[in-house]
Amino acid sequence: MKTVRDGERKFRRMKEGEKIYEFNCGNNYEDLNDFIINDAPLYRDELLAVTYVIEDSEKTLAYCSLANDRIGIEDFPSNTDYNRFRKRRFVNSKRIKHYPAIKICRLGVDVEHQSKGIGRLIVDTLKWYFLGNN
């Protein structure tokens, strides 16, 4: 995914070997703080997840980690719900048992930047990128 700019903010993929040294999305979210500081590089090295950051010229404002996933019949409450999902989105020749997907594994916003639309910006950017560039 290419770097996307939103004014002074930049949305980009973390580089190999890069570390984030400081991040705080609140005391109730220590696992999210710990992930970006300690675990994101390990997940990248093991090909488990790729992490993207939103930053300004001074600090990391938010991040999200993405992993490959799939959608299958077991993800729906009934076969009927699964068949409705398939019929609305895929032509007959594309109806298979599992469909590729991405999963947002982690999404954290720095406590000073919460409730300012950054989480929405992340989700909208991901939707734009994956729908537009597949």
Side-chain angles (χ1 to χ4, degrees), residues 35-94:
F35 180 84
I36 189 67
I37 293 168
N38 297 308
D39 297 336
L42 303 172
Y43 274 61
R44 178 194 169 105
D45 292 346
E46 296 299 322
L47 303 176
L48 296 173
V50 176
T51 300
Y52 295 84
V53 294
I54 290 187
E55 57 191 12
D56 62 14
S57 60
E58 298 176 15
K59 68 188 275 185
T60 300
L61 308 178
Y63 78 91
C64 69
S65 290
L66 305 177
N68 291 322
D69 202 356
R70 70 178 191 176
I71 297 172
I73 195 166
E74 63 276 2
D75 297 314
F76 292 83
S78 71
N79 289 354
T80 302
D81 290 334
Y82 179 66
N83 288 328
R84 282 189 199 128
F85 162 79
R86 292 187 333 159
K87 287 179 183 176
R88 276 186 269 151
R89 288 168 177 78
F90 306 102
V91 296
N92 284 335
S93 63
K94 299 292 183 193

Side-chain angles (χ1 to χ4, degrees), residues 11-48:
F11 183 79
R12 66 168 182 83
R13 184 177 180 163
M14 280 183 68
K15 300 175 185 101
E16 189 172 345
E18 177 181 5
K19 280 202 57 101
I20 304 294
Y21 293 98
E22 185 179 333
F23 187 81
N24 180 17
C25 58
N27 292 334
N28 294 332
Y29 302 102
E30 282 131 7
D31 59 326
L32 290 174
N33 299 335
D34 184 63
F35 180 84
I36 189 67
I37 293 168
N38 297 308
D39 297 336
L42 303 172
Y43 274 61
R44 178 194 169 105
D45 292 346
E46 296 299 322
L47 303 176
L48 296 173

